[in-house]
Amino acid sequence: MVTMNFLDQIGWIPLFPLLGAVLMLAFGKLLDPQREEQGPGAAGQGPALRGLIGLICPGMVLISFLLSCGAVWQVARTPGRIHQVIQFTWVAGLPFQMANGHSALFQADWGFLLDPLSAVMILIVTGIGFLIHVYSVGYMAHDGGYYRFFGYLNLFVFFMLMLVLANNYALLFVGWEGVGLCSYLLIGFYFHKKSAADAGKKAFVMNRVGDAGFILGMLLMLWVLGTVRFTDVNALLRGGGFQPEVAGFGVLSAMSLLMFVGATGKSAQVPLYTWLPDAMEGPTPVSALIHAATMVTAGVYMVARSAALFQLTPGTSMIVATIGAFTAILAASIALVQNDIKRVLAYSTVSQLGYMFVALGVGAYWVAVFHLFTHAFFKALLFLGSGSVIHALGGEQDMRRMGALWKRIPVTHGTMLAGSVAIAGIPGFAGFFSKDEILWQAYSAPNGGTILWMVGLATAGLTAFYMFRLMYMTFYGASRVTAEKEKHIHESPRVMTVPLTVLALGSAFAGWLGTPKLWHLSASFRAFENWLAPAFATAEGVEHLASAEWILMGLSVAVALAGIGVARYFYSIRTDIPERLAQTWRPVYTVLYNKWYVDELYDFLFVNGLGKGLGRSCSAFDRDVVDGGVNGAGWLTRFISWLSIWWDTWIVDGAVRLTSFLVKALSYPVCVLQTGRVQAYAFYVVIGFLAFFGYYVTR
């Protein structure tokens, strides 16, 4: 029996989505010759060929998922759980001088690396991506640009797979920029809406700011280490004589900080987080795929991939943890009062990403990836569930116009309830295990501390509150749906509810792969930590009594239950309280509702201030200095030319003409006599002779 070698074919995994994207963007118009107006109902009754799009694009991602499963199955049986395939040399032979003065040649492979970390990522990208593609078949069925939407989705999956499978930072950056491009295209998919077009541009520009840091960090890495290949970088950092920079902020700290700047842009951390809530202008499946399950976790993946570097830079790691904690509680506070169902989930995503960076900052890399894994299930579920609600209400997104939907759309309600319980951190569901592990690591890790734990605990309480505020406003209580919308309420088709059900099962059970050690379950229940162990060489945490962990676990559960209880009391029992609190604490409510005025601050400082001010300064410099210099040089040239013409006309030519005139004037008497006629000369001779003769006669 011949067994297929999936490991040597890992380069095929990203190619199938690329093929789907090429087919759609090049020939999709033939399958979907519909109007390009955006919005639900823009497309008419398409031909039967349009259904092929719903088979081709999800099918390409499914093939990649099956190849990924085969490759992960085989790499699990490979010594060291690592396999590298180098297909060809992409960049070769560029000479440069390293920091130590040695000359070197820069080389970057077109190569792929499959290890425990990239294995988790490709399963998330292709598995969750396939479910979202299937869901999109139903959700986007009546929208214009159907083929274009699926082409962009497939292209995004291709670039995301390139990002997580690359064996070096240079190739990772190709995928990094590619997902940024696809994010711009998908956020601005409804390009006829100014808000969507602006959101796409905002995401693109803010990501470019972070990308500048990533590029500088990568160049600094090349200058110091002479390579950007992951295996070589890790070998040099862990065995090349580099010591942790505990006494100051050295070159490695600068390198890791620049890389983290790139991560803040892609993973929406302070200060580069404001693009992600605005990205909700895109279709809901975009929010689920790009801004919940995959793209925004690219920064988390990159920092985890660079664990060997961050382990040597405790100063930067503390910055990572601090920024993560601040982002988590800031975004959670904003989510408390938002009324757009997708915007609540957007700020929830920002907050949960902050949790992941707290784990990265305290050195719990596997825990960060574990939360990334569980978050992919319940956040994709919640976004798709919100899309099902919006679909049922004919496009309505304001939770103040919802309520009492649980009987009308029971599958959507049940699955979203599972996702909400998971993200709130209720024991038994996926979010509990990863969130609890983050809180424990924030408290017990050598570079953790009580403050980080307290911020994380407070964020957990806020998360439970705003998620069940969403549930009560959407599904319970009295109906606030308008009469017109009431007619449209219906459960989503199976092509949408089946992915919701699968994600709900993942939200319920995926966390059991990483149960707490003090539960003393079999190794199978610690599979996630054991699986990632070869990818990270982390230091052991400070020993604590098991009772301390039980107490902290109990506190986190109690806080989550308290958040749920308060949400139920406010939005089910005493529904008048939220409005009274908003009036009593109007300044606080206004600040939270307006997102701490961060967007306004950025507009003032960078758009209207630095941006337009710098633009006006550059315009004035261009007008007065550059153009002024050119215009002045032109005027001076014309003046010198005029002066030269005047000098040439009146001085040079005038002198020549004056000389000619004087010669002519002085020669006039001669000219009178010198006529050139012989008879005149004979006449002058006779006259002269007679004159002389008369003179002598008269004497």
Side-chain angles (χ1 to χ4, degrees), residues 162-472:
M162 290 296 299
L163 189 157
V164 299
L165 279 174
N167 77 331
N168 62 82
Y169 286 98
L171 188 57
L172 181 151
F173 190 71
V174 172
W176 186 276
E177 288 295 281
V179 294
L181 170 63
C182 293
S183 177
Y184 164 75
L185 295 173
L186 285 165
I187 294 169
F189 179 75
Y190 298 135
F191 55 81
H192 75 296
K193 290 173 56 181
K194 185 178 185 302
S195 57
D198 289 345
K201 289 183 287 186
K202 184 176 183 179
F204 193 81
V205 170
M206 295 196 77
N207 273 271
R208 298 294 76 73
V209 174
D211 294 349
F214 188 179
I215 293 172
L216 293 174
M218 185 167 54
L219 292 176
L220 186 58
M221 175 183 291
L222 182 65
W223 183 58
V224 174
L225 302 178
T227 181
V228 292
R229 185 185 291 182
F230 297 144
T231 52
D232 295 341
V233 168
N234 291 340
L236 288 170
L237 291 175
R238 287 173 176 155
F242 291 96
Q243 298 298 319
E245 294 182 342
V246 295
F249 201 85
V251 65
L252 294 182
S253 296
M255 187 189 307
S256 60
L257 184 61
L258 287 170
M259 303 291 273
F260 176 61
V261 169
T264 61
K266 199 66 71 183
S267 293
Q269 297 295 285
V270 171
L272 301 177
Y273 74 95
T274 58
W275 67 269
L276 193 144
D278 288 357
M280 298 304 106
E281 292 288 343
T284 301
V286 173
S287 305
L289 178 64
I290 297 181
H291 306 115
T294 51
M295 175 186 149
V296 292
T297 60
V300 178
Y301 167 79
M302 187 267 286
V303 174
R305 176 60 74 190
S306 309
L309 172 63
F310 282 85
Q311 287 166 359
L312 296 175
T313 57
T316 302
S317 294
M318 181 52 64
I319 293 174
V320 172
T322 303
I323 292 293
F326 181 67
T327 302
I329 198 163
L330 177 74
S333 68
I334 296 172
L336 295 176
V337 298
Q338 299 304 307
N339 296 313
D340 185 304
I341 188 171
K342 287 176 63 176
R343 197 164 288 270
V344 172
L345 296 175
Y347 281 106
S348 172
T349 298
V350 176
S351 182
Q352 295 301 306
L353 289 167
Y355 256 117
M356 297 176 205
F357 279 101
V358 169
L360 292 170
V362 300
Y365 300 101
W366 83 266
V367 180
V369 179
F370 184 35
H371 195 56
L372 184 157
F373 172 71
T374 61
H375 178 264
F377 285 100
F378 57 71
K379 188 51 64 67
L381 167 62
L382 290 168
F383 267 115
L384 295 185
S386 70
S388 185
V389 172
I390 296 167
H391 179 81
L393 295 176
E396 183 60 68
Q397 295 185 200
D398 193 329
M399 296 186 297
R400 292 171 297 185
R401 299 188 180 95
M402 298 180 186
L405 295 176
W406 70 277
K407 288 184 178 180
R408 306 291 297 275
I409 46 175
V411 177
T412 301
H413 161 256
T415 53
M416 283 197 74
L417 180 61
S420 299
V421 170
I423 194 174
I426 301 304
F429 287 79
F432 161 76
F433 296 101
S434 55
K435 182 208 69 175
D436 180 73
E437 196 67 44
I438 289 175
L439 291 175
W440 172 245
Q441 294 290 340
Y443 179 82
S444 64
N447 53 343
T450 305
I451 295 177
L452 288 177
W453 173 79
M454 290 177 64
V455 172
L457 185 67
T459 302
L462 297 179
T463 301
F465 173 80
Y466 66 66
M467 282 309 308
F468 276 84
R469 171 181 177 265
L470 180 151
M471 290 297 296
Y472 279 106

Side-chain angles (χ1 to χ4, degrees), residues 134-152:
V134 173
Y135 176 96
S136 300
V137 172
Y139 189 85
M140 300 295 293
H142 302 293
D143 278 37
Y146 190 74
Y147 75 94
R148 185 165 51 85
F149 177 80
F150 276 98
Y152 292 163

